[in-house]
Amino acid sequence: MKTIPEIYKMTEFDLKKTRNIGIIAHIDAGKTTTTERILYYTGKTYKIGEVDEGTAVMDWMEQEQERGITITSASTTCFWKDTRINVIDTPGHVDFTAEVERSLKILDGAVVVFCGVGGVEPQSETVWRQADRYKVPRIAFINKLDRVGSDFFSACKQMEEKLGANPLIVQIPIGQESEFKGLIDLVESKAYIYKDDLGKEIEEMPIPEDIKPLASKYRLKLIEKLAEADEITFEKFAHDVGIKPVELKNTIRHATLHNKVVPVFCGTSLKNKGVQKLIDGIVDYLPSPLDVPELNALNPETNEMEQRKASDDEYLCAMAFKIVADPYVGKLTFVRVYSGVIESGGTIYNTASKERERVAKIVQMHANKQNIVERLHAGDIAACVGLKNTKTGDALCDEKHPLILEKMHFPEPVIFMSIEPKTKMDQEKLSYTLHRLQEEDPTFKVSYNHETAQTIISGMGELHLDILMDRMRREFNVAVKAGKPHVAYKETISKGVKAEEKFVQQTGGRGQYGHVVFEIKPAERNSGIVFEDKIKGGAIPREFIPAIKEGVHQSAQTGVLAGYPVTDVEVKLVDGSFHEVDSSELAFKMAASLAFSEGLKKGHSLLLEPIMDTEILIPEEFLGEVIGDINSRRAQIKSIDQKTKIKVIRGNIPLAEMFGYATALRSLTKGRGTYTMEPSFYAEVPFDILEKIIGK
């Protein structure tokens, strides 16, 4: 039986009464506004912060307050009744999707906020897919029901149609739009009417007679859905036995934890209605660290899978999910502890870097404010100071019992630009600044173009790079000049070919000899470069295979059409030869690089461009002009829908055509149009556009 050090036997807060949750949604659905109300009602703040006024606690960055959007995920801890809730408020803008990804990776549950007017919007679909990937149980909050054009039941229907979700309506609104004044709890069969502007005076009453038929209809639907998910409920429903509210809650919780249903709540965060009942829902239906499956990870020493329970009595296993450059304490490493304990002043083992790291200090975060704590327990989320070589996604473990955790998935950048320092002094600071920003943001990439002697930065969109440039100036005091943004094109091949190259050099002494034969063909989209070793009979010694693979990947960094990276190509090493004396790793690397380039030429290279899934909202009188404009931008229109007096255009548009579109749309619609877009897929560039790109 294993013995656990005494340090691991300390416990501070009942894990059953802990909730680690994230607030996720499309941009402008009301995530931060909802989070601010949660903080206010739980007593974490004494005054409600407003996004539009730049006073939201969770939007603490200057850039967030100026733009009225969330850029970085902010975490805090609050208490509701006897439950501790660790909340992470995430961005909605697609340029900062990495923040949502890494938050969902380490959270136990999520609140998905939907706009009562917009319903399921493009970024709603993205965050939903991210939550699906990590099997995160979630509840939904239909927000903004006080707005003109809001429709609670339409939003629920869209959840089914667009997301493939199974919404379980546990509340229905009383009144619509400006008449929205409260809600009916279908589980408790009670009505709640809001009497004051702060949402603190709530009258609990029986369901009004005029709404009883509607409430009865949806309560029956609620029980029918639960009967499908739970045998005991089915038995009681089939035999017409009364089901108590506490039994319903237990069944809803069980079904939610197993991702069979998504309980749906309603309200308006801005007008302070429905948020307290939403917090009740977080406590009642979302999982504690004990409700999620045990951590299952690979031990690199034994090559076997091991389990860790959410307990202080287990060996330590935590994940570093976010790095932040703090002006006062240096690097803050945000961690989620799955098992065991982290002590301030103690050492932990980084499985990825294979190094010991000393924890100088542990801080519990409230947005950008820090509260020093002595230790972190299983189920905790906080930040450590002093971890020098830890990166996003690294596992932090007990040195004698290391584990490798599943990697996070981050999208590839779709846009790049060149930057250069304004002065010699800025030159020295720039490389340090870029290194720190790369540590923080896995979707921010930096490279150096030797031909033009330029530093190239790439990211998820114009806003992403704009924010990073702004941070360079303000936080790091580096003055930089930026070039124009460019699209991150990619190259691939259109047909399968065979490529053979020999690299032979004789220089008097020992020469160089490498000979490879490749079969090269197109691979599936988003598969990158797939290398397979099919050598038989020792035609090439095993020790040279890694060098051949490296040669292929190095050559794939610059294509033959316009120098863009090559992707979605399958390379099979099928034959070759070697020389007993002259063969070397360098020779085979060069032969592989030349053969791959030759294969690209023979395989009729294509240029691929990122296509954006775009949603444009405009008043209907501007429909003709906007359609004409996006058609000129090579748009493929998928649908044109009507929401009250607003037209919603959805389609696929190449990113290359969308630079400066915000200005164009404002001009076409007298400032009344808005749009959102997110990377969807890569497609072949038309020949006439290809000629222009190669010409440049």
Side-chain angles (χ1 to χ4, degrees):
M1 184 176 165
K2 64 183 182 183
T3 56
I4 306 291
E6 278 302 310
I7 161 189
Y8 285 6
K9 296 188 176 175
M10 306 168 187
T11 187
E12 213 159 68
F13 201 90
D14 184 0
L15 278 183
K16 278 187 185 172
K17 300 289 185 181
T18 295
R19 302 286 181 271
N20 293 318
I21 63 126
I23 314 287
I24 61 175
H26 180 88
I27 190 168
D28 207 29
K31 291 176 303 304
T32 303
T33 304
T34 303
T35 310
E36 292 296 322
R37 270 56 182 178
I38 291 173
L39 297 185
Y40 177 69
Y41 294 126
T42 57
K44 187 76 184 182
T45 55
Y46 65 90
K47 182 173 178 280
I48 295 176
E50 299 294 358
V51 174
D52 294 345
E53 295 168 14
T55 57
V57 174
M58 302 302 268
D59 283 353
W60 56 270
M61 290 173 68
E62 289 177 7
Q63 293 88 345
E64 292 177 316
Q65 291 165 358
E66 288 167 2
R67 290 170 167 82
I69 60 168
T70 302
I71 291 165
T72 183
S73 54
S75 67
T76 188
T77 301
C78 54
F79 294 85
W80 183 247
K81 296 169 184 173
D82 60 348
T83 302
R84 174 181 64 167
I85 305 173
N86 294 318
V87 185
I88 294 184
D89 174 36
T90 65
H93 200 286
V94 66
D95 284 18
F96 311 106
T97 190
E99 292 287 326
V100 184
E101 187 76 26
R102 56 180 163 202
S103 298
L104 285 171
K105 171 72 179 167
I106 56 93
L107 290 168
D108 301 326
V111 177
V112 190
V113 182
F114 295 97
C115 171
V117 182
V120 175
E121 297 168 283
Q123 194 65 9
S124 314
E125 295 179 41
T126 304
V127 297
W128 195 270
R129 286 196 302 270
Q130 287 171 308
D132 278 343
R133 186 181 303 131
Y134 296 119
K135 299 182 173 63
V136 177
R138 63 214 87 147
I139 61 178
F141 180 59
I142 311 292
N143 189 26
K144 302 190 178 184
L145 291 179
D146 60 313
R147 292 272 189 97
V148 174
S150 62
D151 188 333
F152 173 77
F153 297 108
S154 169
C156 293
K157 193 176 178 189
Q158 286 179 47
M159 285 176 65
E160 275 186 276
E161 292 171 352
K162 293 185 179 179
L163 304 175
N166 187 15
L168 184 76
I169 297 173
V170 294
Q171 297 176 349
I172 58 172
I174 299 174
Q176 259 190 312
E177 300 177 349
S178 60
E179 298 297 310
F180 175 65
K181 58 184 179 179
L183 53 91
I184 290 167
D185 186 320
L186 298 174
V187 177
E188 301 278 358
S189 290
K190 289 177 184 170
Y192 295 87
I193 307 293
Y194 290 82
K195 296 290 190 180
D196 68 329
D197 291 340
L198 282 176
K200 285 202 158 185
E201 285 181 37
I202 307 169
E203 185 184 345
E204 183 185 307
M205 58 191 288
I207 298 171
E209 288 299 322
D210 59 328
I211 313 175
K212 260 191 179 170
L214 188 69
S216 298
K217 173 186 167 185
Y218 278 96
R219 192 170 197 273
L220 184 62
K221 283 188 175 184
L222 168 83
I223 295 169
E224 282 175 353
K225 270 197 180 178
L226 289 176
E228 289 171 17
D230 180 75
E231 283 183 25
I232 298 169
T233 309
F234 176 77
E235 287 292 320
K236 290 192 172 186
F237 178 64
H239 295 100
D240 202 20
V241 177
I243 304 172
K244 296 174 185 171
V246 68
E247 293 174 321
L248 275 180
K249 278 188 180 177
N250 290 337
T251 307
I252 294 169
R253 178 174 181 78
H254 185 266
T256 306
L257 297 187
H258 290 83
N259 277 311
K260 291 180 179 176
V261 298
V262 179
V264 184
F265 295 77
C266 62
T268 165
S269 297
L270 189 66
K271 298 293 174 66
N272 310 310
K273 293 180 175 70
V275 179
Q276 292 102 319
K277 298 297 287 180
L278 174 66
I279 309 172
D280 284 338
I282 290 169
V283 172
D284 291 340
Y285 306 131
L286 288 181
S288 75
L290 297 174
D291 295 316
V292 294
E294 289 180 7
L295 181 71
N296 198 30
L298 182 74
N299 184 323
E301 292 176 356
T302 63
N303 222 23
E304 291 180 1
M305 299 302 283
E306 289 186 12
Q307 283 73 41
R308 292 281 190 275
K309 290 178 187 169
S311 166
D312 290 2
D313 296 337
E314 287 271 347
Y315 293 113
L316 172 66
C317 184
M319 175 180 262
F321 67 93
K322 179 177 164 117
I323 313 289
V324 172
D326 186 276
Y328 304 108
V329 298
K331 197 162 88 169
L332 276 175
T333 306
F334 283 72
V335 298
R336 159 70 196 264
V337 184
Y338 292 105
S339 61
V341 170
I342 296 177
E343 284 267 315
S344 181
T347 57
I348 50 182
Y349 181 70
N350 184 323
T351 317
S353 66
K354 298 182 179 174
E355 292 178 11
R356 286 195 199 98
E357 294 262 42
R358 185 176 175 276
V359 181
K361 189 167 67 169
I362 301 171
V363 290
Q364 196 179 41
M365 301 300 293
H366 174 49
N368 63 331
K369 295 182 176 66
Q370 302 169 6
N371 175 36
I372 297 172
V373 293
E374 286 303 308
R375 64 185 61 85
L376 291 181
H377 298 269
D380 282 350
I381 295 173
C384 295
V385 179
L387 308 186
K388 292 176 182 171
N389 299 310
T390 297
K391 298 184 176 66
T392 300
D394 285 358
L396 305 168
C397 300
D398 182 295
E399 189 169 359
K400 292 179 181 173
H401 303 86
L403 291 176
I404 296 173
L405 298 176
E406 184 190 358
K407 291 278 182 202
M408 293 189 212
H409 165 82
F410 294 114
E412 285 294 310
V414 294
I415 188 173
F416 69 90
M417 65 167 67
S418 62
I419 60 165
E420 58 183 66
K422 284 190 176 175
T423 67
K424 182 90 167 137
M425 195 184 292
D426 292 317
Q427 172 77 56
E428 291 162 9
K429 286 195 266 181
L430 182 61
S431 60
Y432 166 79
T433 301
L434 292 174
H435 175 70
R436 292 299 292 266
L437 291 172
Q438 267 189 293
E439 272 190 329
E440 283 190 30
D441 187 346
T443 59
F444 175 56
K445 299 277 174 26
V446 180
S447 59
Y448 186 75
N449 188 323
H450 291 278
E451 290 176 19
T452 59
Q454 286 179 315
T455 299
I456 308 295
I457 59 172
S458 30
M460 297 308 297
E462 284 182 276
L463 179 63
H464 186 201
L465 294 184
D466 184 36
I467 297 286
L468 288 165
M469 298 275 291
D470 197 32
R471 287 188 60 198
M472 286 179 211
R473 295 183 194 106
R474 293 194 198 189
E475 282 177 45
F476 298 94
N477 296 316
V478 179
V480 288
K481 291 186 285 189
K484 283 175 70 176
H486 294 275
V487 174
Y489 293 104
K490 292 182 180 179
E491 293 187 24
T492 192
I493 57 172
S494 57
K495 67 172 190 173
V497 295
K498 201 164 189 175
E500 179 178 1
E501 280 293 335
K502 279 183 184 174
F503 181 75
V504 183
Q505 272 189 352
Q506 294 297 332
T507 53
R510 180 182 166 179
Q512 297 282 2
Y513 182 92
H515 171 216
V516 296
V517 181
F518 288 150
E519 283 180 2
I520 302 174
K521 65 177 185 179
E524 288 181 13
R525 284 283 178 262
N526 302 317
S527 61
I529 302 294
V530 182
F531 179 83
E532 277 188 75
D533 170 20
K534 294 287 184 183
I535 287 290
K536 290 176 184 167
I540 298 173
R542 312 272 358 128
E543 65 262 28
F544 296 130
I545 304 299
I548 294 170
K549 185 176 180 180
E550 192 185 336
V552 168
H553 282 281
Q554 199 169 333
S555 181
Q557 288 174 14
T558 49
V560 294
L561 276 178
Y564 290 104
V566 180
T567 189
D568 304 340
V569 174
E570 190 179 296
V571 182
K572 284 183 184 172
L573 174 61
V574 292
D575 203 359
S577 63
F578 72 103
H579 189 279
E580 291 282 356
V581 178
D582 290 350
S583 282
S584 66
E585 288 188 356
L586 175 64
F588 275 105
K589 186 177 168 183
M590 291 300 295
S593 183
L594 293 167
F596 185 74
S597 293
E598 186 59 31
L600 291 179
K601 290 171 188 167
K602 282 186 181 175
H604 294 181
S605 271
L606 308 170
L607 203 60
L608 302 174
E609 63 180 341
I611 306 295
M612 311 303 280
D613 189 3
T614 310
E615 183 179 80
I616 305 166
L617 280 73
I618 53 165
E620 51 190 327
E621 64 260 35
F622 302 112
L623 183 64
E625 294 96 315
V626 171
I627 292 285
D629 179 66
I630 62 171
N631 279 336
S632 72
R633 296 173 187 268
R634 298 190 282 135
Q636 284 188 321
I637 296 169
K638 292 195 289 187
S639 65
I640 301 173
D641 298 319
Q642 183 89 27
K643 284 183 185 171
T644 59
K645 292 183 179 178
I646 298 291
K647 286 286 185 186
V648 182
I649 307 164
R650 286 194 74 168
N652 295 323
I653 310 178
L655 175 60
E657 305 291 347
M658 294 300 281
F659 288 129
Y661 185 64
T663 308
L665 186 63
R666 274 198 297 269
S667 170
L668 285 168
T669 62
K670 299 179 181 173
R672 293 164 66 193
T674 61
Y675 80 103
T676 56
M677 63 179 185
E678 60 177 355
S680 183
F681 58 92
Y682 270 80
E684 185 182 343
V685 174
F687 185 72
D688 56 327
I689 308 289
L690 175 65
E691 283 187 317
K692 290 178 190 171
I693 294 167
I694 293 173
K696 284 179 186 175

